[in-house]
Amino acid sequence: MRLALEIDAVSKIFPGEGNAAPKFVLDRLSFNIKDGEFVTLLGPSGSGKTTLFHIIGGLEQPTTGDIRLYGESTLGKRGEIAYMPQQASLMPWLTVARNIELALDIAGVGRKEARTLSRDWLERVGLAEVGDAYPHVLSGGMQQRVSFLRALLSPQPLMCLDEPFGALDALTRMQMQTWLLSLWEQHRRSVLFVTHSIEEALLLSDRIIVLSASPAAIVREVEVPFPRPRGELIWSDPLFNALKREIYELLRPAELNAGGEKKEGGADGKLREPYSVG
Amino acid sequence: MVNKLLKLWPPLAVLAIVVLGWQAAVVLFGTKEYVLPSPLVIASTVMKEAPRLLEHTSATLGITLLGFIFGAAAGFLLAALLHLIPGAKAGFYPLLVLTQNVPVMALGPLLVIWFGFGLMPKIILLTIVCFFPISVAMLTGLTKSDPKLLSYMRMIGASKSQLFWRLELPHAIPYLFSGLKIAASYSVISAIYAETIGGSEGLGVYMRLSMRGWQTANMFAAIAVVITLSLVLFGIIFALERLFLRGTARSSKGE
């Protein structure tokens, strides 16, 4: 099996400014993504996921370690991944179709091909009528659909999605998850996905990598057993809830685990809200 | 469009009241014409002087447009260069302010000494006056690109030139137009000043001659022409801006 991405013992330490202590962000992180696999990084805020993305995207160098895409080291090389950021990041002066063409153009796709690709796909995903609209008339969910399409059409084999639904309301977010799921299951691109939401991770991924807070280190890898194609139905599967609880336990802050129930008081944690909903 | 016309009403009404009051005051107090001509006298002077005014206006317009275009080009290029060459902004930007601190009153005669009485010193003077607001506005636009768009473009591997042409320059266009509008107003006034320091035609020369001959009505006629000229120039740039930014006007700010 070919490996789409290998993260090999990557550490990142930011030197402290002035007298401040150096900031240890990533601690010898190692994992990989097989070709066509959907892998999710799940961790608390500030666990260095953005830094890891910047390293994979070539914007930053790791302090130690190596990044390989399909066997080749890409340290400091930009433009090797298809990328979808948390905020839609569409140019407000370009129409939706032109925005997609811009990304493809930068990725090295010819202008003509970019144009036909963006037209075809906007129609295929039911966004044909907004192709000539400017982004500001679109809702947040629509903008994220365009942003996802832009990454999906980029020719780089690995897609990196950085908390793509983090800024959406809960309902839109659920719709987006199933939309992305159905699109992805048709195409099976290699995906590195970042989220705070356990449910989102369980619904979408083949494998979940649970990270600890700073410095980020891998707490555990969870294989997600649900068969594909998946749908909303797995939300009511008992196994889904069991896994959700299990992962939530891994993510609970240390003092709550040790000192026990400071906030909720319930002895077995039954009443506790999940770590993050939707 | 209807909204625009409605917005024009209040200033026009105020203007009409001022003009009427002026007319009434001049008639009522019997003010002498060389002190303050009435609006009616000014209007009839414009009619009477139309051929001469037209001749001088076309000379002034020529200098204004040439100087404005050179200034805009210089301002645009300078902003792009200062932005693109690493370190250039830190070194040159503070010095740009110096060019604006030399009084135009001193600069004009110096340029005449160096370049004679022809078109050259006037165009140079206008260029110096016009480039500055354009450069400053555009540099601000180039450096203030949305950080999230910048980060996105870098993540997908945009080169420095792609960043400039596809993100920073389009983002700077509204800023560029603000600079152009300021420069347009400066350019007409500077052109008139430039004509007074040397030369034989233009509204500047006409105004100087009128003043010498105590022909105050002619002076006011020239002022009316200058104001019209400035407004027309401003309007053209405003229309160009609308044309350039259609569709995105609402989203260029915020978000």
Side-chain angles (χ1 to χ4, degrees):
Chain A
M1 189 90 191
R2 284 216 300 166
L3 290 176
L5 173 73
E6 294 166 78
I7 305 286
D8 187 2
V10 167
S11 295
K12 181 71 182 179
I13 302 167
F14 286 110
E17 284 184 27
N19 290 329
K23 214 174 151 215
F24 204 176
V25 181
L26 301 174
D27 185 11
R28 280 166 291 127
L29 221 53
S30 288
F31 66 92
N32 49 49
I33 298 176
K34 296 187 208 73
D35 195 30
E37 192 181 24
F38 196 123
V39 174
T40 294
L41 287 178
L42 185 69
S45 300
S47 58
K49 289 170 300 200
T50 303
T51 305
L52 181 62
F53 262 50
H54 282 176
I55 291 171
I56 296 170
L59 298 195
E60 275 174 40
Q61 293 274 359
T63 311
T64 62
D66 196 10
I67 306 277
R68 285 185 294 276
L69 283 170
Y70 291 91
E72 268 182 55
S73 175
T74 58
L75 279 187
K77 273 198 218 160
R78 299 195 292 120
E80 303 284 322
I81 53 164
Y83 175 61
M84 176 180 181
Q86 180 171 10
Q87 308 280 329
S89 302
L90 302 168
M91 310 289 155
W93 52 84
L94 294 178
T95 61
V96 163
R98 294 265 176 213
N99 262 294
I100 294 172
E101 287 165 33
L102 169 70
L104 300 188
D105 184 32
I106 287 170
V109 179
R111 295 239 170 150
K112 239 185 205 156
E113 201 191 333
R115 179 163 302 181
T116 36
L117 259 178
S118 82
R119 292 285 162 192
D120 284 0
W121 274 85
L122 279 170
E123 190 164 339
R124 209 182 293 190
V125 300
L127 291 171
E129 73 274 24
V130 301
D132 292 321
Y134 286 90
H136 67 88
V137 303
L138 272 58
S139 68
M142 290 283 249
Q143 291 191 10
Q144 283 302 74
R145 279 171 206 237
V146 174
S147 176
F148 177 73
L149 195 55
R150 186 169 63 167
L152 187 72
L153 297 186
S154 295
Q156 298 91 338
L158 177 70
M159 283 173 82
C160 292
L161 315 185
D162 185 6
E163 290 183 51
F165 309 138
L168 300 177
D169 63 88
L171 197 63
T172 311
R173 185 170 189 161
M174 281 159 82
Q175 289 161 357
M176 286 297 292
Q177 287 165 1
T178 43
W179 182 80
L180 184 144
L181 187 65
S182 67
L183 257 181
W184 182 81
E185 282 178 345
Q186 291 164 41
H187 300 281
R188 299 282 175 138
R189 290 272 293 274
S190 315
V191 171
L192 176 62
F193 190 91
V194 163
T195 185
H196 293 304
S197 161
I198 299 172
E199 291 170 323
E200 187 168 284
L202 282 170
L203 175 67
L204 299 173
S205 342
D206 294 318
R207 201 145 48 87
I208 299 172
I209 292 165
V210 183
L211 294 177
S212 62
S214 60
I218 295 175
V219 178
R220 217 169 106 194
E221 282 191 35
V222 180
E223 291 277 349
V224 181
F226 306 111
R228 293 184 188 273
R230 294 178 191 160
E232 296 97 327
L233 278 180
I234 71 163
W235 279 327
S236 49
D237 191 318
L239 185 56
F240 183 86
N241 283 314
L243 279 171
K244 195 166 96 183
R245 165 140 309 156
E246 195 182 322
I247 294 170
Y248 173 63
E249 292 296 326
L250 293 172
L251 284 166
R252 271 204 303 170
E255 73 255 35
L256 285 185
N257 273 336
E261 335 307 340
K262 275 183 190 161
K263 276 181 191 157
E264 288 94 343
D268 55 4
K270 246 181 211 161
L271 299 171
R272 200 165 290 118
E273 284 292 306
Y275 170 71
S276 168
V277 181
Chain B
M1 206 55 210
V2 176
N3 262 332
K4 293 271 164 52
L5 288 175
L6 283 177
K7 265 190 198 162
L8 274 178
W9 258 111
L12 282 181
V14 172
L15 191 66
I17 291 167
V18 169
V19 169
L20 281 175
W22 177 358
Q23 181 73 35
V26 169
V27 172
L28 218 63
F29 301 116
T31 313
K32 293 204 170 60
E33 198 187 299
Y34 73 86
V35 177
L36 183 68
S38 72
L40 277 179
V41 171
I42 294 169
S44 76
T45 309
V46 170
M47 296 302 194
K48 201 175 63 198
E49 289 284 299
R52 280 184 69 207
L53 276 173
L54 209 64
E55 204 176 297
H56 288 296
T57 303
S58 70
T60 303
L61 189 62
I63 295 175
T64 305
L65 288 183
L66 267 179
F68 179 71
I69 288 165
F70 277 109
F76 182 92
L77 273 179
L78 198 71
L81 288 177
L82 290 191
H83 178 68
L84 290 175
I85 301 171
K89 192 182 167 194
F92 284 95
Y93 192 71
L95 299 182
L96 282 191
V97 182
L98 288 185
T99 66
Q100 303 304 300
N101 288 343
V102 179
V104 183
M105 306 286 284
L107 206 55
L110 278 175
L111 288 171
V112 170
I113 293 173
W114 295 332
F115 300 102
F117 288 100
L119 208 57
M120 185 79 138
K122 294 169 190 149
I123 301 300
I124 292 176
L125 185 76
L126 258 77
T127 305
I128 291 173
V129 170
C130 287
F131 90 91
F132 186 73
I134 294 167
S135 266
V136 170
M138 200 174 128
L139 255 179
T140 308
L142 287 174
T143 45
K144 291 250 167 89
S145 286
D146 187 338
K148 90 183 180 233
L149 292 178
L150 199 63
S151 149
Y152 169 74
M153 289 288 272
R154 283 159 51 85
M155 277 298 272
I156 63 167
S159 66
K160 203 171 173 186
S161 89
Q162 282 168 331
L163 272 184
F164 180 76
W165 290 106
R166 314 301 295 269
L167 172 64
E168 289 163 341
L169 187 58
H171 178 261
I173 295 293
Y175 294 82
L176 175 66
F177 273 106
S178 306
L180 286 175
K181 280 185 224 161
I182 298 170
S185 324
Y186 283 3
S187 67
V188 179
I189 295 167
S190 305
I192 285 158
Y193 169 72
E195 284 162 349
T196 64
I197 53 172
S200 55
E201 52 174 3
L203 287 169
V205 174
Y206 179 88
M207 285 165 118
R208 202 180 48 184
L209 292 177
S210 304
M211 220 48 235
R212 289 227 179 110
W214 294 91
Q215 293 168 299
T216 315
N218 290 20
M219 188 71 168
F220 272 94
I223 290 173
V225 172
V226 169
I227 290 172
T228 313
L229 201 61
S230 295
L231 282 179
V232 167
L233 219 63
F234 194 87
I236 290 171
I237 292 166
F238 188 77
L240 280 177
E241 183 181 20
R242 277 291 132 115
L243 198 70
F244 251 90
L245 302 180
R246 74 197 141 160
T248 64
R250 256 183 299 167
S251 62
S252 59
K253 278 159 207 146
E255 287 196 39

